[in-house]
Amino acid sequence: MAQSTTRRTLHYYWQVTSKHKALFWGLIASTFLFVALLSYGNPYVMSLIVDRVSEGGVGPNEVFAAYGPYIVALIAINVFGQAASKLQDYTLYKLEIAAAYDLATMSFDALCNQSMSFHSNRFGGTLVSQTSKFMSAYQQLIETIMFPFLPVICSVIFTCAILAPRVPVYVAILMVLLAIYATVSYVMYKRILSLNEKAASAQNQLSGELSDSVANILAVKTYGREDYERGLFDAANREVVARDSKRMWASLTRGVITASITVVIMSVVAVFIAGGNAWYGITPGTLVMMFTYTYTVTNQFNFINNGLQRFNRAFGDASGMTATLDEPRLVADKPNAPDLRVREGAIDFKGIGFSYGEGGSKTTVFDGFDLHIPAGQRVGLVGLSGAGKTTLTKLLLRLSDIQQGSILIDGQNIADCTQQSLRRQIAYVPQESLLFHRSVAENIAYGKPGASMDEIRQAAAQANALEFIERLPQGFETQVGERGVKLSGGQRQRIAIARAILADCPVLVLDEATSALDSESESAVQDALATLMEGRTCIVVAHRLSTVASLDRIVVLDQGKVAEDGPHQALIEAAGEYANLWNRQTGAYLE
C-alpha cells in the first residue's frame, strides 16, 4: 500500500514538474556541472600539481612557467563552478515557486470539485493540513534529490571515470562496498516508509481534532467540556508521539548500520593510501585523489541516510493529499458538458432513485419519486424530519447525484450540464447561513461578482439588513469573522438572503431560510422574499408551516413519497397529514 501511494505521489509531482521541464533539466545540468568542477575538478588539478612537485627541479623563477597552466585551470574551474552553483540556486527557487502554485491549484480544484458527501466525512482542518504538507513535501523531495542524491550519482560516475584507469582494483572494492551500503539503505528505507505514512496520518488526525475543537469552541465552553476536548486532543497527541518514536528508532538503527559500513570503507582507504606507492607504484598525486574522492563519495553516501529519512517524511506527509487526489469524484461533469440555459424554470423530478451508502449500509431516501413544478410556481416542501425535503434540494443542486431517474430544468437533464452553470441559475439559502471571513459587502456580492455598492445596499435593504449593517463599526466593510461569528444568527441569515436577492436567479431554493430570525425580522424578510419570488420558480423547505401557507402549492413528503399535494386551504380541508401538522403548530388541538 505504501509503495502504491508513493508511486501515485510521484505521478502527481511529475505532472507538475513536467510543466517546467526547462527549469528541471537546467537544475540537473547545473548540479552535475557544480559537482564535477568544484568537487572533482579541483582535486584533479591539485593531484597534477602534487605529482609535478614530487618531480622537483623547479626554481623560484620557474614557478609560474611550470605551474601557470594549473593555476589558470584552477581559477577557471572555480569561476565556472561557482557560476553553476548560482544557476543551481536560481533554477531550484524558480522550480519550487512554480510547482508550489501548480500543486496548490491542483489541491484546491480537487477539494472544491469533490461532493458534499466527501466533505461531510472529513475534518476541514485535516484537509487544509494535507494540502500544506503536500506542497512542502514536493519542496523537500526536490531538494533531497538535488543535494544528497544527485551528487551521490555524480560522485560515483566521476570517481570511476577518473580512478578506474589508474587503480582498478581499488575502484572495484570501493564500488562493492558502496553497493552494499546503498542496498542496506534502500531495504531499510522501504521498511520505514510505512512508519512515516502512519506518523503523517497521526499528525493529520491531531490537526483535525484541534480544528474541530476550535471551530466549535462555543459549544465546548457553554457545556464546560474543555477537559473532555483536551482528553481527545491528548490522545491524538500521544498517538503522534508514539508513531514518531517508532520512526525515530527505525531511522537510528539504519544510521548505525550504514555508519558501520562507512568505517569499513575508510579503513580500506587507509590501507591503500599507506601501501599504494610501495605495492602498486601509485604516484603521490593519485594517492591524494584516491583519498579526496573516496572521502567525498563516502560523505555523499552518509547524506543518503539523511536523504532517505527526508524522502520517507516527504512521502508520508504527501500521502494524505495523494489519497484525496485519487478519490473518485462522486459528482463529476461529463466530458464537453454544455452549460445549462434556463428560460422559464420548469422543474421535473422523474423516477428519482437515491440512497445514502455509509460504512456498507444503505439508506433509501427516494425510490421512483416524481414531481413536476411548473415555471414560476412557488412550492413548499413540508414533512417530518427525514422525509427527504433537504435531500431533494441537494439533488437539484447536484451536491449529490441520483442513482436512478432524471432531474430536468426546462427539459434539460441537469446531469448532462456543467455543475457551475446549474448552480449559477439557482439562488440557494440554507438553514445555516454560509458566510466567509470577509466584509459584509463581499459576502452579499458573492452571488454577483462585480456588483456595484448601490446594488449591494439595495439588496441589503430588501432583506431588512441595511439598518443593522449601517450600525456596524465599519458598515459594509466590517469583517464578519469566520463563518460570520461576529454577527447574530438573524443577522447572518439576512445577509445570506440579501446575497440571494442580488444573485437574481430564475430558480430560488430556501431551505429553512428564515428559521434563525425572530418574529419581527421574519415578518420583514417574508415581505422581501415575497417580492423576490415573483416570476421565479421557488422551492421552500420549511418546518414552520406559516412560512409556506401563502405559497401556490404545498407538497407533503413522507418517507420519500408525495403524501399530499395542493394549496394550503385545500390541504387543511382534506384533514390529512398537513392538517395535523398545521393544527399542532397553531395550537388547534389545545382548543
Side-chain angles (χ1 to χ4, degrees), residues 176-194:
V176 169
L177 292 173
L178 291 178
I180 294 172
Y181 187 111
T183 302
V184 170
S185 294
Y186 179 70
V187 169
M188 299 194 73
Y189 157 76
K190 289 202 299 183
R191 292 181 180 177
I192 296 173
L193 185 59
S194 62

PDB file of all heavy atoms in Angstrom, residues 176-194:
ATOM      1  N   VAL A 176      31.962  -2.183  -4.657  1.00  0.00           N
ATOM      2  CA  VAL A 176      31.259  -3.271  -3.974  1.00  0.00           C
ATOM      3  C   VAL A 176      30.750  -2.803  -2.613  1.00  0.00           C
ATOM      4  O   VAL A 176      29.591  -3.048  -2.237  1.00  0.00           O
ATOM      5  CB  VAL A 176      32.176  -4.501  -3.812  1.00  0.00           C
ATOM      6  CG1 VAL A 176      31.535  -5.521  -2.868  1.00  0.00           C
ATOM      7  CG2 VAL A 176      32.452  -5.140  -5.170  1.00  0.00           C
ATOM      8  N   LEU A 177      31.620  -2.123  -1.863  1.00  0.00           N
ATOM      9  CA  LEU A 177      31.224  -1.624  -0.538  1.00  0.00           C
ATOM     10  C   LEU A 177      30.102  -0.585  -0.644  1.00  0.00           C
ATOM     11  O   LEU A 177      29.156  -0.592   0.159  1.00  0.00           O
ATOM     12  CB  LEU A 177      32.437  -1.026   0.178  1.00  0.00           C
ATOM     13  CG  LEU A 177      33.518  -2.028   0.591  1.00  0.00           C
ATOM     14  CD1 LEU A 177      34.743  -1.298   1.130  1.00  0.00           C
ATOM     15  CD2 LEU A 177      32.971  -2.998   1.646  1.00  0.00           C
ATOM     16  N   LEU A 178      30.198   0.291  -1.632  1.00  0.00           N
ATOM     17  CA  LEU A 178      29.147   1.303  -1.804  1.00  0.00           C
ATOM     18  C   LEU A 178      27.827   0.661  -2.236  1.00  0.00           C
ATOM     19  O   LEU A 178      26.749   1.120  -1.844  1.00  0.00           O
ATOM     20  CB  LEU A 178      29.589   2.340  -2.843  1.00  0.00           C
ATOM     21  CG  LEU A 178      30.743   3.258  -2.419  1.00  0.00           C
ATOM     22  CD1 LEU A 178      31.127   4.199  -3.550  1.00  0.00           C
ATOM     23  CD2 LEU A 178      30.368   4.068  -1.176  1.00  0.00           C
ATOM     24  N   ALA A 179      27.905  -0.402  -3.032  1.00  0.00           N
ATOM     25  CA  ALA A 179      26.685  -1.113  -3.438  1.00  0.00           C
ATOM     26  C   ALA A 179      26.004  -1.750  -2.228  1.00  0.00           C
ATOM     27  O   ALA A 179      24.763  -1.730  -2.108  1.00  0.00           O
ATOM     28  CB  ALA A 179      27.022  -2.176  -4.473  1.00  0.00           C
ATOM     29  N   ILE A 180      26.827  -2.327  -1.319  1.00  0.00           N
ATOM     30  CA  ILE A 180      26.263  -2.891  -0.078  1.00  0.00           C
ATOM     31  C   ILE A 180      25.597  -1.790   0.738  1.00  0.00           C
ATOM     32  O   ILE A 180      24.483  -1.958   1.264  1.00  0.00           O
ATOM     33  CB  ILE A 180      27.368  -3.581   0.739  1.00  0.00           C
ATOM     34  CG1 ILE A 180      27.897  -4.808  -0.021  1.00  0.00           C
ATOM     35  CG2 ILE A 180      26.861  -3.972   2.117  1.00  0.00           C
ATOM     36  CD1 ILE A 180      29.117  -5.447   0.624  1.00  0.00           C
ATOM     37  N   TYR A 181      26.275  -0.656   0.833  1.00  0.00           N
ATOM     38  CA  TYR A 181      25.741   0.496   1.583  1.00  0.00           C
ATOM     39  C   TYR A 181      24.382   0.912   1.005  1.00  0.00           C
ATOM     40  O   TYR A 181      23.404   1.088   1.748  1.00  0.00           O
ATOM     41  CB  TYR A 181      26.740   1.648   1.476  1.00  0.00           C
ATOM     42  CG  TYR A 181      26.420   2.859   2.332  1.00  0.00           C
ATOM     43  CD1 TYR A 181      27.212   3.191   3.419  1.00  0.00           C
ATOM     44  CD2 TYR A 181      25.336   3.689   2.048  1.00  0.00           C
ATOM     45  CE1 TYR A 181      26.942   4.312   4.195  1.00  0.00           C
ATOM     46  CE2 TYR A 181      25.048   4.802   2.817  1.00  0.00           C
ATOM     47  CZ  TYR A 181      25.858   5.110   3.889  1.00  0.00           C
ATOM     48  OH  TYR A 181      25.583   6.207   4.657  1.00  0.00           O
ATOM     49  N   ALA A 182      24.322   1.066  -0.326  1.00  0.00           N
ATOM     50  CA  ALA A 182      23.093   1.525  -0.968  1.00  0.00           C
ATOM     51  C   ALA A 182      21.964   0.505  -0.800  1.00  0.00           C
ATOM     52  O   ALA A 182      20.815   0.874  -0.561  1.00  0.00           O
ATOM     53  CB  ALA A 182      23.352   1.778  -2.450  1.00  0.00           C
ATOM     54  N   THR A 183      22.294  -0.779  -0.899  1.00  0.00           N
ATOM     55  CA  THR A 183      21.274  -1.824  -0.762  1.00  0.00           C
ATOM     56  C   THR A 183      20.680  -1.838   0.633  1.00  0.00           C
ATOM     57  O   THR A 183      19.443  -1.907   0.814  1.00  0.00           O
ATOM     58  CB  THR A 183      21.874  -3.208  -1.081  1.00  0.00           C
ATOM     59  OG1 THR A 183      22.404  -3.201  -2.411  1.00  0.00           O
ATOM     60  CG2 THR A 183      20.819  -4.297  -0.956  1.00  0.00           C
ATOM     61  N   VAL A 184      21.550  -1.780   1.638  1.00  0.00           N
ATOM     62  CA  VAL A 184      21.071  -1.761   3.030  1.00  0.00           C
ATOM     63  C   VAL A 184      20.189  -0.538   3.275  1.00  0.00           C
ATOM     64  O   VAL A 184      19.115  -0.628   3.893  1.00  0.00           O
ATOM     65  CB  VAL A 184      22.269  -1.772   4.010  1.00  0.00           C
ATOM     66  CG1 VAL A 184      21.790  -1.510   5.436  1.00  0.00           C
ATOM     67  CG2 VAL A 184      22.999  -3.105   3.933  1.00  0.00           C
ATOM     68  N   SER A 185      20.630   0.608   2.778  1.00  0.00           N
ATOM     69  CA  SER A 185      19.856   1.845   2.976  1.00  0.00           C
ATOM     70  C   SER A 185      18.480   1.735   2.336  1.00  0.00           C
ATOM     71  O   SER A 185      17.466   2.136   2.924  1.00  0.00           O
ATOM     72  CB  SER A 185      20.609   3.043   2.381  1.00  0.00           C
ATOM     73  OG  SER A 185      21.797   3.288   3.092  1.00  0.00           O
ATOM     74  N   TYR A 186      18.415   1.160   1.127  1.00  0.00           N
ATOM     75  CA  TYR A 186      17.136   1.079   0.420  1.00  0.00           C
ATOM     76  C   TYR A 186      16.180   0.099   1.099  1.00  0.00           C
ATOM     77  O   TYR A 186      14.978   0.382   1.229  1.00  0.00           O
ATOM     78  CB  TYR A 186      17.363   0.653  -1.032  1.00  0.00           C
ATOM     79  CG  TYR A 186      16.087   0.520  -1.814  1.00  0.00           C
ATOM     80  CD1 TYR A 186      15.344   1.654  -2.153  1.00  0.00           C
ATOM     81  CD2 TYR A 186      15.608  -0.733  -2.195  1.00  0.00           C
ATOM     82  CE1 TYR A 186      14.164   1.539  -2.862  1.00  0.00           C
ATOM     83  CE2 TYR A 186      14.419  -0.852  -2.910  1.00  0.00           C
ATOM     84  CZ  TYR A 186      13.699   0.282  -3.242  1.00  0.00           C
ATOM     85  OH  TYR A 186      12.520   0.168  -3.936  1.00  0.00           O
ATOM     86  N   VAL A 187      16.709  -1.044   1.522  1.00  0.00           N
ATOM     87  CA  VAL A 187      15.862  -2.039   2.192  1.00  0.00           C
ATOM     88  C   VAL A 187      15.254  -1.448   3.460  1.00  0.00           C
ATOM     89  O   VAL A 187      14.045  -1.612   3.723  1.00  0.00           O
ATOM     90  CB  VAL A 187      16.669  -3.311   2.512  1.00  0.00           C
ATOM     91  CG1 VAL A 187      15.875  -4.232   3.435  1.00  0.00           C
ATOM     92  CG2 VAL A 187      17.031  -4.052   1.237  1.00  0.00           C
ATOM     93  N   MET A 188      16.069  -0.751   4.218  1.00  0.00           N
ATOM     94  CA  MET A 188      15.561  -0.168   5.462  1.00  0.00           C
ATOM     95  C   MET A 188      14.645   1.020   5.171  1.00  0.00           C
ATOM     96  O   MET A 188      13.714   1.305   5.931  1.00  0.00           O
ATOM     97  CB  MET A 188      16.727   0.246   6.345  1.00  0.00           C
ATOM     98  CG  MET A 188      17.619  -0.931   6.744  1.00  0.00           C
ATOM     99  SD  MET A 188      18.738  -0.527   8.089  1.00  0.00           S
ATOM    100  CE  MET A 188      17.623  -0.461   9.472  1.00  0.00           C
ATOM    101  N   TYR A 189      14.900   1.705   4.060  1.00  0.00           N
ATOM    102  CA  TYR A 189      14.035   2.817   3.658  1.00  0.00           C
ATOM    103  C   TYR A 189      12.615   2.315   3.420  1.00  0.00           C
ATOM    104  O   TYR A 189      11.634   2.940   3.849  1.00  0.00           O
ATOM    105  CB  TYR A 189      14.597   3.463   2.393  1.00  0.00           C
ATOM    106  CG  TYR A 189      13.582   4.213   1.563  1.00  0.00           C
ATOM    107  CD1 TYR A 189      13.118   5.462   1.957  1.00  0.00           C
ATOM    108  CD2 TYR A 189      13.092   3.665   0.376  1.00  0.00           C
ATOM    109  CE1 TYR A 189      12.192   6.143   1.194  1.00  0.00           C
ATOM    110  CE2 TYR A 189      12.164   4.340  -0.389  1.00  0.00           C
ATOM    111  CZ  TYR A 189      11.717   5.587   0.019  1.00  0.00           C
ATOM    112  OH  TYR A 189      10.799   6.251  -0.738  1.00  0.00           O
ATOM    113  N   LYS A 190      12.476   1.179   2.732  1.00  0.00           N
ATOM    114  CA  LYS A 190      11.148   0.648   2.445  1.00  0.00           C
ATOM    115  C   LYS A 190      10.422   0.273   3.739  1.00  0.00           C
ATOM    116  O   LYS A 190       9.212   0.428   3.844  1.00  0.00           O
ATOM    117  CB  LYS A 190      11.256  -0.566   1.526  1.00  0.00           C
ATOM    118  CG  LYS A 190      11.669  -0.224   0.101  1.00  0.00           C
ATOM    119  CD  LYS A 190      11.254  -1.309  -0.886  1.00  0.00           C
ATOM    120  CE  LYS A 190      11.913  -2.628  -0.563  1.00  0.00           C
ATOM    121  NZ  LYS A 190      11.571  -3.671  -1.560  1.00  0.00           N
ATOM    122  N   ARG A 191      11.184  -0.227   4.714  1.00  0.00           N
ATOM    123  CA  ARG A 191      10.557  -0.591   5.986  1.00  0.00           C
ATOM    124  C   ARG A 191      10.062   0.649   6.728  1.00  0.00           C
ATOM    125  O   ARG A 191       9.022   0.624   7.393  1.00  0.00           O
ATOM    126  CB  ARG A 191      11.560  -1.355   6.866  1.00  0.00           C
ATOM    127  CG  ARG A 191      11.923  -2.730   6.326  1.00  0.00           C
ATOM    128  CD  ARG A 191      12.897  -3.423   7.259  1.00  0.00           C
ATOM    129  NE  ARG A 191      13.272  -4.750   6.755  1.00  0.00           N
ATOM    130  CZ  ARG A 191      14.162  -5.541   7.345  1.00  0.00           C
ATOM    131  NH1 ARG A 191      14.775  -5.138   8.455  1.00  0.00           N
ATOM    132  NH2 ARG A 191      14.443  -6.716   6.821  1.00  0.00           N
ATOM    133  N   ILE A 192      10.817   1.723   6.624  1.00  0.00           N
ATOM    134  CA  ILE A 192      10.472   2.929   7.379  1.00  0.00           C
ATOM    135  C   ILE A 192       9.371   3.726   6.691  1.00  0.00           C
ATOM    136  O   ILE A 192       8.674   4.511   7.323  1.00  0.00           O
ATOM    137  CB  ILE A 192      11.740   3.800   7.581  1.00  0.00           C
ATOM    138  CG1 ILE A 192      12.754   3.047   8.443  1.00  0.00           C
ATOM    139  CG2 ILE A 192      11.408   5.138   8.236  1.00  0.00           C
ATOM    140  CD1 ILE A 192      14.089   3.742   8.558  1.00  0.00           C
ATOM    141  N   LEU A 193       9.182   3.527   5.382  1.00  0.00           N
ATOM    142  CA  LEU A 193       8.208   4.317   4.632  1.00  0.00           C
ATOM    143  C   LEU A 193       6.816   4.206   5.229  1.00  0.00           C
ATOM    144  O   LEU A 193       6.098   5.195   5.381  1.00  0.00           O
ATOM    145  CB  LEU A 193       8.196   3.866   3.170  1.00  0.00           C
ATOM    146  CG  LEU A 193       7.296   4.681   2.215  1.00  0.00           C
ATOM    147  CD1 LEU A 193       7.713   6.143   2.203  1.00  0.00           C
ATOM    148  CD2 LEU A 193       7.358   4.100   0.807  1.00  0.00           C
ATOM    149  N   SER A 194       6.392   2.984   5.575  1.00  0.00           N
ATOM    150  CA  SER A 194       5.052   2.806   6.150  1.00  0.00           C
ATOM    151  C   SER A 194       4.939   3.494   7.501  1.00  0.00           C
ATOM    152  O   SER A 194       3.881   4.020   7.853  1.00  0.00           O
ATOM    153  CB  SER A 194       4.728   1.312   6.293  1.00  0.00           C
ATOM    154  OG  SER A 194       5.643   0.685   7.170  1.00  0.00           O
TER     155      SER A 194
END
